[in-house]
């Protein structure tokens, strides 16, 4: 049986940075990365706009202090101030480290790393590689992991986290290629499984695999989740597919235009205009549409993102992927015509509750990246801070885990767990099962988008909770039609749906309980931020199969609560 010092689940930017850091700290450690897809296909590769760091290359007056303040203000004061400070303080170091490892950043005329303006930031501080930043970062990290000899298990699906008396023992995973269930005993497990915005299904910018698997597995293993109700809607998804048009398009000077031809952001954020923070810009677009100033089409109502005045040269040089996506998915070349857009579910601010080293309450279990809630983004993440988070906290957790691994006792997982999972999988294939997973998944996405979207009310949230509980009941009779072992993607999709249903319930229950508006969570029945009653993190745990909601204080620092205006 394989035995590991550290197993990392997830081959995105967070997982690979941690893997690299572990072996740079102690090359003698025996580690493995487990990933349901090939690492360089992880959603990190879809990140377009860039990663923030106060390098002050473009604006010499930019400082780390300003970055910290922008992040905390952007979070609507829900971020933990110690974690947000670490994020911004470490930013220049990790960006320079990537630069030294060969990430091909776009450059200013003087040869320094180029920086573009991003929403909610007081200076242009987003470092980028054209509009393919995530792809280039992930590629750099993957090369480093190969160089260091990291062992990869690709196309392995995490089923469960194994523990004994509150101490992590490793994980169980399905080998998708063979259909075998394999156990991975490990003294430390680092979850880096990415976000959960795909629960909104076809109203999402996320990759199909962003189904919150690690988060749901942690919840089942007794580890609390935090702030799950905060789901970020990105203002500019393509009208038909929800695919992302980076904030960089507005950073480069794009306009948002309604059907009357107005640049309506002047009514909502007169100073920052299109570069207001994401929650504000998404709400503004939704309001324009709701009040009849959107364009009509058979694919739904939309707003125009106009780049035509930027010219062909800038668009082809700085926004090549955006042009490609618009042409392929909307049939529109942004050099000649505006791009039809509407807000799309994009990012999970919530996740597995961790401290600022990535540790969870379970000894030996860490979580990093989008699956974790450390929390640096609070109620609303600033664009460019998430790639940064996966780098900074991937590095910190990797280092901490490398130091801790040697001091931990050996672990073991009983083989009987394999039979337990096999029995469950077989039960899904029985003739008595009849529900179709695609239908349940569609209905889950629809109720989330309709009832737990940008604007939320008590009535809608009660509806969402009712719908999702019914879907969880129906899921008990879900059928896996494919009974083969090799590449049973039907089984994998059903396991992903099980995870998303748990997460959909947490999003809705947290949103129902939070009777205020803060950041991405906008209640039309409680329109004000309520610091007296709700300046606190929402916590989620399972007890006897039921989801419990409780609260825990926000870690404050020198920044006092203030009204958030732009
Ligand atoms: C379209 C798009 C554009 C973005 N642009 C930006 C940007 O410009 N700037 C920015 O800061 N942020 C951006 N973000 C956000 C940012 O890219 C992500 O938050 C970040 O890359 C997440 O990295 P991660 O390593 O945590 O997870 P991911 O990159 O999502 O990787 C998750 C990994 O976990 C593995 N995994 C998942 N479930 C399982 C399982 N059950 N078993 C085994 N393995 C599993 C997957 O195989 C994958 O390797 C963007 C996001 C999207 C969707």
């Amino acid at each position: 049986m394989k035995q590991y010092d550290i197993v990392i689940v997830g081959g995105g930017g967070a997982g690979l940075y941690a893997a690299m850091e572990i072996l740079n700290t102690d090359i003698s450690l025996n580690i493995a990365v487990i990933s349901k897809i090939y690492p360089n296909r992880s959603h990190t590769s879809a990140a377009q706009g860039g990663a923030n760091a106060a390098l002050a290359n473009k604006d010499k007056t930019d400082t780390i202090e300003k970055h910290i303040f922008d992040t905390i203000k952007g979070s609507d004061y829900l971020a933990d101030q110690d974690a947000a400070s670490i994020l911004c303080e470490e930013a220049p170091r990790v960006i320079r480290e990537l630069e030294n490892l060969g990430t091909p950043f776009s450059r200013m005329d003087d040869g320094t790393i180029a920086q573009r303006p991003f929403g909610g930031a007081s200076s242009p501080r987003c470092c980028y590689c054209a509009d393919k930043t995530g792809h280039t970062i992930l590629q750099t990290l993957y090369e480093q992991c190969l160089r260091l000899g990291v062992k990869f298990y690709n196309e392995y699906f995490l089923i469960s986290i194994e523990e004994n008396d509150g101490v992590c023992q490793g994980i169980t995973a399905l080998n998708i290629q063979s259909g075998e269930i394999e156990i991975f005993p490990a003294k430390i497990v680092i979850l880096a499984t990415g976000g959960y915005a795909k629960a909104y299904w076809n109203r999402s910018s996320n990759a199909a695999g962003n189904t919150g698997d690690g988060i749901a597995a942690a919840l089942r293993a007794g580890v609390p989740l935090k702030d799950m109700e905060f789901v970020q809607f990105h203002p500019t998804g393509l009208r038909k597919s929800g695919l992302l048009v980076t904030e960089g398009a507005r950073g480069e000077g794009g306009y948002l235009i309604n059907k009357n031809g107005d640049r309506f952001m002047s009514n909502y954020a007169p100073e920052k205009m299109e570069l207001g923070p994401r929650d504000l810009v998404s709400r503004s677009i939704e309001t324009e549409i709701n009040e009849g100033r959107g364009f009509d089409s058979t694919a739904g109502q939309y707003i125009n993102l106009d780049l035509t005045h930027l010219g062909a040269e800038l668009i082809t040089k700085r926004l090549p992927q955006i042009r490609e996506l618009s042409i392929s998915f909307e049939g529109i070349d942004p050099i000649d015509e505006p791009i039809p857009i509407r807000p799309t579910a994009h990012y999970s601010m919530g996740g597995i509750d961790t401290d600022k080293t990535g540790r969870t309450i379970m000894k030996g279990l860490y979580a990093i990246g989008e699956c974790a809630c450390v929390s640096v983004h609070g109620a609303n993440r600033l664009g460019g801070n998430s790639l940064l988070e996966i780098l900074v906290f991937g590095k910190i957790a990797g280092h901490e885990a490398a130091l801790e691994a040697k001091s931990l006792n050996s672990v073991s997982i009983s083989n009987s767990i394999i039979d337990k999972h096999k029995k469950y999988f077989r039960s899904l294939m029985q003739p008595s099962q009849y529900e179709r997973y695609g239908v349940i998944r569609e209905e889950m996405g629809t109720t989330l988008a309709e009832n737990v979207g940008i604007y939320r009310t008590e009535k809608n949230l009660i509806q969402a909770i009712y719908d999702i509980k019914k879907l969880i009941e129906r899921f008990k009779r879900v059928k896996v039609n494919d009974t083969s072992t090799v590449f049973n993607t039907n089984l994998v999709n059903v396991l992903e749906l099980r995870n998303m249903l748990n997460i959909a319930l947490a999003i809705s229950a947290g949103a129902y309980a939070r009777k205020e508006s803060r950041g991405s969570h906008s209640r039309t029945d409680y329109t004000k931020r309520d610091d007296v009653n709700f300046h606190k993190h929402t916590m989620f745990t399972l007890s006897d199969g039921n989801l419990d909601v409780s609260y825990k204080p926000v870690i404050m620092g020198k920044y006092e609560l203030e009204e958030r205006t732009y």
Side-chain angles (χ1 to χ4, degrees):
M1 185 193 300
K2 309 168 200 97
Q3 282 272 357
Y4 288 97
D5 292 312
I6 304 173
V7 160
I8 299 161
V9 189
L16 296 192
Y17 212 117
M20 176 176 83
E21 187 66 22
I22 290 166
L23 292 186
N24 280 334
T25 306
D26 183 348
I27 194 74
S28 72
L29 288 169
N30 184 11
I31 74 167
V33 171
I34 287 169
S35 181
K36 69 177 172 182
I37 50 174
Y38 276 83
N40 29 22
R41 299 181 66 97
S42 304
H43 192 63
T44 298
S45 69
Q48 302 165 347
N52 295 332
L55 302 177
N57 288 349
K58 177 119 178 168
D59 170 1
K60 306 287 177 220
T61 66
D62 195 17
T63 60
I64 289 173
E65 195 64 38
K66 283 193 197 170
H67 188 186
I68 300 173
F69 178 67
D70 288 343
T71 301
I72 291 168
K73 179 179 172 188
S75 81
D76 223 344
Y77 295 87
L78 197 71
D80 285 338
Q81 296 194 8
D82 54 350
S85 302
I86 294 172
L87 177 83
C88 305
E89 281 157 8
E90 291 301 314
R93 222 187 320 271
V94 293
I95 294 296
R96 294 217 169 87
E97 187 172 346
L98 282 178
E99 181 186 28
N100 291 340
L101 293 173
T103 304
F105 284 107
S106 296
R107 300 280 159 178
M108 311 246 294
D109 289 342
D110 65 2
T112 54
I113 294 176
Q115 299 195 278
R116 58 168 50 126
F118 244 48
S122 53
S123 289
R125 70 168 72 96
C126 191
C127 310
Y128 60 95
C129 313
D131 57 1
K132 297 179 179 164
T133 315
H135 173 80
T136 56
I137 289 178
L138 194 60
Q139 209 61 39
T140 308
L141 295 174
Y142 188 54
E143 286 164 9
Q144 291 301 316
C145 286
L146 293 180
R147 182 178 70 81
L148 289 162
V150 172
K151 170 87 182 134
F152 283 96
Y153 289 92
N154 299 326
E155 300 185 316
Y156 275 71
F157 186 92
L158 166 75
I159 306 171
S160 61
I161 298 160
E162 307 306 334
E163 56 98 29
N164 184 8
D165 227 2
V167 181
C168 181
Q169 305 288 306
I171 61 149
T172 312
L174 170 70
N175 178 342
I176 302 173
Q177 295 181 35
S178 70
E180 291 300 318
I181 294 167
E182 299 182 22
I183 50 186
F184 292 84
K187 292 185 205 167
I188 291 181
V189 170
I190 302 179
L191 296 173
T193 48
Y196 54 82
K198 197 63 192 173
Y200 286 73
W201 204 243
N202 55 15
R203 183 90 189 270
S204 169
S205 70
N206 278 205
N210 285 9
T211 49
D213 301 339
I215 301 174
L219 183 69
R220 287 196 294 270
V223 178
L225 311 183
K226 187 162 78 195
D227 293 339
M228 295 293 287
E229 65 271 33
F230 294 103
V231 176
Q232 176 168 78
F233 278 75
H234 193 291
T236 57
L238 288 179
R239 164 190 53 180
K240 293 179 190 159
S241 57
L243 288 175
L244 191 75
V245 178
T246 172
E247 191 161 309
R250 282 169 288 134
E252 296 295 346
Y255 298 152
L256 290 169
I257 309 277
N258 66 18
K259 80 166 180 200
N260 302 333
D262 295 332
R263 263 182 87 188
F264 56 85
M265 282 310 298
S266 59
N267 300 328
Y268 302 92
E271 255 178 57
K272 293 228 174 258
M273 293 293 286
E274 280 84 357
L275 287 177
R278 289 187 176 167
D279 54 342
L280 179 65
V281 182
S282 290
R283 278 198 298 274
S284 310
I285 295 174
E286 195 84 348
T287 305
E288 290 296 301
I289 291 177
N290 290 347
E291 294 182 357
R293 292 184 294 277
F295 297 87
D296 275 324
S297 79
T298 46
Q301 295 202 314
Y302 66 94
I303 286 292
N304 271 337
L305 171 63
D306 192 355
L307 309 182
T308 52
H309 56 286
L310 301 180
E313 194 190 331
L314 187 145
I315 293 175
T316 44
K317 201 163 145 205
R318 304 237 190 107
L319 302 166
Q321 194 184 161
I322 294 314
R323 182 165 178 237
E324 250 170 66
L325 290 172
S326 303
I327 294 174
S328 305
F329 291 91
E330 289 285 348
I332 276 173
D333 186 341
I335 292 177
D336 306 319
E337 280 177 87
I339 311 172
I341 56 92
R342 59 174 190 165
T344 183
H346 179 60
Y347 183 80
S348 332
M349 264 79 71
I352 302 161
D353 179 37
T354 73
D355 69 9
K356 54 186 190 287
T357 64
R359 287 180 172 86
T360 70
I361 61 158
M362 184 189 288
K363 191 159 179 59
L365 184 71
Y366 289 62
I368 48 173
E370 198 172 332
C371 74
C373 181
V374 44
S375 98
V376 290
H377 311 301
N380 173 60
R381 166 180 79 97
L382 293 188
N385 264 359
S386 169
L387 282 181
L388 180 61
E389 179 196 359
I390 66 178
L391 304 171
V392 168
F393 289 94
K395 184 179 168 86
I396 292 174
H399 190 70
E400 291 282 326
L403 299 180
E404 190 183 358
K406 283 270 154 78
S407 69
L408 295 177
N409 297 330
S410 60
V411 289
S412 74
I413 301 176
S414 156
N415 271 324
S416 63
I417 193 76
I418 295 180
D419 291 333
K420 189 181 133 206
H421 290 309
K422 272 192 180 154
K423 201 169 151 208
Y424 175 59
F425 294 170
R426 271 199 305 271
S427 75
L428 297 170
M429 296 167 185
Q430 296 309 309
S432 54
Q433 302 294 104
Y434 56 86
E435 289 282 1
R436 290 168 59 196
Y437 81 92
V439 174
I440 299 180
R441 189 173 65 185
E442 198 72 35
E443 289 182 23
M444 173 188 66
T446 306
T447 191
L448 280 180
E450 282 176 5
N451 298 311
V452 207
I454 293 177
Y455 287 117
R456 303 163 172 190
T457 67
E458 178 143 318
K459 186 166 161 268
N460 289 30
L461 293 167
I462 289 173
Q463 182 68 46
I465 293 170
Y466 174 82
D467 290 348
I468 293 160
K469 284 189 169 163
K470 281 214 125 156
L471 292 172
I472 290 174
E473 268 311 302
R474 280 169 60 189
F475 181 84
K476 291 182 181 154
R477 294 178 296 279
V478 77
K479 171 128 190 158
V480 173
N481 286 302
D482 182 352
T483 54
S484 64
T485 48
V486 175
F487 272 100
N488 191 337
T489 48
N490 186 188
L491 174 62
V492 169
N493 288 341
V494 166
L495 296 176
E496 288 175 337
L497 178 60
R498 173 172 73 151
N499 294 333
M500 283 191 287
L501 283 168
N502 286 326
I503 280 168
L505 188 60
I507 299 172
S508 314
Y512 172 74
R514 187 173 282 276
K515 298 184 182 352
E516 65 155 356
S517 289
R518 183 185 298 271
S520 67
H521 172 69
S522 252
R523 297 264 315 232
T524 47
D525 43 358
Y526 298 93
T527 53
K528 294 258 176 316
R529 193 176 86 191
D530 176 356
D531 290 327
V532 176
N533 295 306
F534 287 103
H535 184 238
K536 52 193 181 185
H537 297 295
T538 316
M539 303 294 292
F540 303 83
T541 42
L542 273 188
S543 77
D544 295 334
N546 292 318
L547 191 68
D548 282 350
V549 173
S550 58
Y551 294 93
K552 116 174 181 184
V554 175
I555 299 173
M556 293 296 279
K558 68 178 184 190
Y559 301 98
E560 304 280 334
L561 288 164
E562 271 177 34
E563 197 191 343
R564 181 168 165 254
T565 50
Y566 287 95

